[in-house]
Each structure stands twice: as structure tokens, then as C-alpha cells.
Amino acid sequence: MLLQTPLDQVQIEHLRKNGMLHPDEMVISSEKAGEGNMNVTLTINTEKRSFVLKQSRDHVVKYPQVPAPRERTGIEFAFYKTLAGDEVLESFSPKVLGFDPSHWLLALAHLKKAKDFLDIYQHPEILQNHQLEDLLHYLKSLHHLAIDAFPENRAMRKLNHQHIFVLPFQKDNGFDLDQIQPGLQDLSEIIKSNKELLHQINLLGERYLSKGKHLIHGDFYPGSWLDTSDGMKVIDTEFAFMGDPEFDLGVMLAHLNMSRIPDSLIEKIRNSYPLNTKWLAQYTGVEILRRIFGLAQLPLSLTLPDKEKLSLYAIDLLLNEQF
């Protein structure tokens, strides 16, 4: 069963059968929920409530040409269940209403007045200091969570590895960067022809694929942060695995840099969560480069000279291994 909108009667009856819909509950409407990249995500409205329904396909929904493992909603379910019982982390997570592994369906409570932070690249002021502190508090709590085991999530990590550490740096990767911004294709040569840089990125990619000791979110960027009527929430955890805390914080720092958050504030965040400087610098650098030159583009408000300056900064992070 593949979700579609509006839901047909077969799908509605299936939701009743698996308990995601109550026996006497009527679906009033169903609509696309946000601009997610990975999965089909719908808001289901009934006469009693609203909830979110996610389904993973065998490809990335935004990029149908990119294969992806269907079990990723199962990883997200496992992540939220792992956090259950921790008062801090649970407060940042949407409530799980049900999971159907036969069709990779995940039902989550609807978050009222929820808005992600993807506008931060044009309007950095929308992310307030107390929200940054909340996000940092979340990361620290997550990385220090004591757990016995978590799924290896190897398939999703391999997918992410290709798009973070490999494809953006290949000369013939099929990305027409000039369609995004004229001159960006030529600018990409500064990363594709730098052998020392490519060697460092390859080593970092091998580290990313190795098993770590801490549960990490795996995609901690503004699209996964929600401002809601009930405070900050963190969603879209299908890339989670046991890895380096520096990866999560590095991704966060990279996006703050691309959003032009003041350097003094970025430095304050970095200093308030002391981690291994080498890995943090390198993960920050590679995330900047893959977002500028890779497939997963962002709505950046940066000129070509801006991107060149930021790319040189990222290259320096990777080669000199420090901020």
C-alpha cells in the first residue's frame, strides 16, 4: 500500500485495522505535511484530531532517481522509542502513535503551529539565542544517553556517505551546478582537483562509516528543527546511528555558518560543547562543501564570491583540522 492524497477507502480501512485510526474515527482530509525530502509525509485530519503519517519508499521522494532503504521509518521509530523515558529528550520529540512495519508507516502526533528553520539562510535572526541553547542542550543529552544497543543503520549511512563524502567531489558526478548558480560548476574545481583535500575527506568518510559509541541524530540541520507552540522539537531521525558526536555538532555549525549567524555566537556554541577539535572542524568543513557543491542544495542567499570564501574556509577546516 502506497500512501496518496487524498487517502482512498482501502488506505483508511488499513489505518483502522492497524490502530492508527480509531474504529469510529472519520477522516475529513489528508494533505501534504511540509517539504520533506526523504519520505511521503501527510497530515491526517479527523473530526477528533490531527496526526502525521510518514511512509518511506524505495527511493528519496524529492529525488526519485536516488535509491534509499525502505526500513528508514523503522529507524526513526527505534530512535523515538530509545529516547522514551528520558525527560529532556522526550520533550523534544513528537509522540509516537503507531508503527506498521509491513508498509513502513509511522504515525506521529501533530505538532501545533510547527515551523522549521529553513528560512534561516535568508533570515538568520529567526533562530533566537534561547532556541540555540535548547538545540545544544538536546545534543548534549542525546550524546550522553546510556543505551545498550541501536540498529547499525548501515544502508542509510552508506547513502549519506555517498552524498556527503563522495559524489560532490567527483569530477563527472552529473550535477549541473550552473543550473543552480552560474559559475558554480567552475568554482567546484577548487575541491575536485585538490588531492590532499580529497584524501582527508576519504579518511573522514571511513570514520563516518565506522561504529561509534554515542547515539547521534545524523541529520541535525535546520530542516530537522521545529519551532512549535510546545517549544523546540527535533524530527526526521532516520539517519540516526552510533557514531561521533562531532558529526552532529559539525553539521549544526556548518549550517549556522551558511546562514551567516554571527561568528561570535558560533564560537560561543562551539566552546560550550567541547569535543574533539579535529573531527569537529573536519565534519563542519565537509558539510559546508557538500551543501554548496552537492545534490542536496539549500535556499542559500550567497553570491558566488560568498560561496568561494566559505568554501576556502571549509577547505582550511579539513586540511588544518582546527578552527
Side-chain angles (χ1 to χ4, degrees):
M1 182 188 79
L2 297 180
L3 283 183
Q4 61 186 25
T5 183
L7 295 179
D8 61 30
Q9 197 58 39
V10 172
Q11 293 171 330
I12 290 172
E13 289 305 318
H14 182 80
L15 296 179
R16 283 204 181 94
K17 183 178 179 181
N18 67 22
M20 292 178 180
L21 274 175
H22 304 154
D24 59 345
E25 198 170 19
M26 301 298 295
V27 174
I28 297 173
S29 64
S30 55
E31 57 200 20
K32 184 180 178 182
E35 294 297 326
N37 294 336
M38 290 295 300
N39 307 303
V40 174
T41 308
L42 304 180
T43 299
I44 311 300
N45 301 301
T46 76
E47 82 282 12
K48 298 179 179 180
R49 60 181 177 135
S50 297
F51 65 94
V52 172
L53 195 58
K54 298 182 70 170
Q55 185 180 53
S56 46
R57 304 280 172 86
D58 58 3
H59 59 270
V60 177
V61 170
K62 187 175 181 179
Y63 306 105
Q65 74 276 20
V66 179
R70 287 207 71 182
E71 65 269 20
R72 59 188 181 271
T73 46
I75 297 296
E76 184 166 2
F77 173 69
F79 183 91
Y80 293 136
K81 297 300 286 185
T82 299
L83 269 52
D86 184 285
E87 186 176 354
V88 171
L89 294 170
E90 205 168 22
S91 71
F92 279 92
S93 304
K95 183 179 179 180
V96 175
L97 302 179
F99 177 59
D100 175 8
S102 65
H103 293 87
W104 300 111
L105 290 168
L106 177 64
L108 301 168
H110 184 256
L111 299 172
K112 296 179 181 178
K113 298 182 180 179
K115 181 74 171 65
D116 65 36
F117 284 86
L118 288 176
D119 289 339
I120 191 179
Y121 307 106
Q122 288 83 32
H123 305 285
E125 69 279 1
I126 67 173
L127 185 58
Q128 300 175 26
N129 284 4
H130 74 276
Q131 293 171 323
L132 275 171
E133 291 173 2
D134 285 346
L135 291 169
L136 201 58
H137 184 42
Y138 172 89
L139 279 189
K140 290 179 180 179
S141 299
L142 175 65
H143 298 156
H144 290 90
L145 186 66
I147 61 173
D148 295 327
F150 190 81
E152 189 175 356
N153 205 9
R154 190 74 179 176
M156 286 293 281
R157 286 162 66 190
K158 285 184 176 180
L159 173 65
N160 226 17
H161 176 268
Q162 284 293 302
H163 287 276
I164 297 175
F165 302 96
V166 179
L167 293 175
F169 307 96
Q170 290 181 340
K171 282 190 174 291
D172 300 315
N173 55 22
F175 302 163
D176 186 357
L177 297 175
D178 285 340
Q179 288 289 326
I180 296 161
Q181 190 170 22
L184 192 59
Q185 192 71 40
D186 286 343
L187 181 59
S188 70
E189 288 302 312
I190 67 173
I191 63 169
K192 295 175 180 177
S193 58
N194 188 326
K195 292 184 178 179
E196 184 183 1
L197 175 70
L198 297 178
H199 176 65
Q200 288 298 320
I201 290 171
N202 181 61
L203 292 177
L204 189 65
E206 291 177 0
R207 181 175 180 88
Y208 170 86
L209 287 175
S210 64
K211 187 175 182 179
K213 299 179 180 179
H214 305 270
L215 181 60
I216 68 173
H217 179 278
D219 194 23
F220 201 69
Y221 89 115
S224 300
W225 313 335
L226 294 184
D227 183 20
T228 77
S229 59
D230 193 30
M232 291 290 285
K233 303 292 181 182
V234 178
I235 61 168
D236 293 344
T237 61
E238 59 260 74
F239 284 105
F241 67 100
M242 300 296 288
D244 289 332
E246 291 84 358
F247 181 78
D248 275 346
L249 186 59
V251 168
M252 180 182 184
L253 293 175
H255 287 266
L256 297 182
N257 272 286
M258 290 184 281
S259 305
R260 296 180 169 182
I261 296 290
D263 291 343
S264 58
L265 185 54
I266 295 175
E267 185 177 0
K268 180 181 178 182
I269 293 166
R270 190 172 72 241
N271 292 337
S272 64
Y273 190 10
L275 293 171
N276 182 287
T277 303
K278 173 182 177 178
W279 306 129
L280 184 59
Q282 290 198 324
Y283 281 130
T284 301
V286 78
E287 176 68 8
I288 291 173
L289 294 178
R290 76 100 167 196
R291 290 293 190 170
I292 291 177
F293 300 110
L295 180 64
Q297 289 287 317
L298 300 164
L300 301 177
S301 59
L302 299 174
T303 65
L304 197 65
D306 289 336
K307 289 184 178 179
E308 181 177 14
K309 181 179 179 180
L310 193 56
S311 298
L312 291 173
Y313 169 69
I315 291 169
D316 184 68
L317 291 178
L318 279 150
L319 295 182
N320 290 322
E321 304 174 353
Q322 61 183 355
F323 291 93

